[in-house]
């Protein structure tokens, strides 16, 4: 892959096969991993998948992303589904660059999911 992958970018990824309640299919994912680690050539990248489905009960954990750049549908970052994926799972990108406020909201949600208040 010739395009550098940076923290705060949204890329497509093939999350299949999934198991049980894991999120699957080809979908956008937010890169959470530090850019320096990603560019150092680690084989895996830590991401959070996106969904277009609004789930009011999970609203405090999910961060809404409006349509802009190459994102065609309003989406939500599913911070509760963070996972490491092999970089070969990544496809097209970047589709979107999160702004500082959006990334701060993701970090707040991530701290809540991990119990790092």
């Amino acid at each position: 892959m010739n395009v550098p992958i940076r923290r705060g970018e949204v890329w497509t990824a093939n999350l299949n096969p999934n198991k049980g309640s894991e999120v699957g299919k080809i979908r956008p994912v937010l890169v959470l991993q530090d850019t320096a680690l990603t560019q150092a050539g680690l084989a895996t990248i830590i991401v959070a998948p996106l969904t277009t489905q609004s789930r009011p009960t999970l609203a405090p954990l999910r961060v809404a992303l409006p349509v802009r750049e190459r994102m065609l549908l309003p989406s939500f970052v599913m911070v509760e589904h963070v996972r490491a994926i092999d970089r070969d799972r990544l496809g097209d990108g970047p589709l979107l660059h999160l702004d500082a406020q959006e990334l701060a909201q993701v970090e707040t949600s991530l701290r809540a999911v991990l119990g790092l208040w």
Side-chain angles (χ1 to χ4, degrees), residues 15-115:
L15 301 181
N16 291 325
N18 64 312
K19 187 171 182 176
S21 297
E22 295 173 347
V23 173
K25 70 183 183 178
I26 297 172
R27 66 173 63 237
V29 297
L30 171 64
V31 176
L32 295 173
Q33 184 167 292
D34 182 68
T35 300
L37 290 174
T38 302
Q39 293 180 353
L42 286 178
T44 57
I45 297 175
I46 299 171
V47 299
L50 273 63
T51 184
T52 57
Q53 303 296 313
S54 174
R55 304 268 171 133
T57 58
L58 294 173
L61 299 178
R62 295 194 175 177
V63 178
L65 301 177
V67 173
R68 68 175 191 277
E69 296 179 38
R70 295 178 55 208
M71 286 289 293
L72 303 178
L73 297 169
S75 299
F76 301 88
V77 181
M78 294 186 283
V79 178
E80 75 280 11
H81 283 278
V82 168
R83 67 191 273 193
I85 62 170
D86 189 283
R87 65 176 53 238
D88 287 342
R89 287 184 177 267
L90 289 178
D92 188 27
L95 305 177
L96 173 69
H97 298 80
L98 269 66
D99 63 31
Q101 181 179 2
E102 290 166 333
L103 200 50
Q105 288 176 313
V106 169
E107 291 167 353
T108 298
S109 292
L110 186 57
R111 281 192 299 277
V113 168
L114 297 176

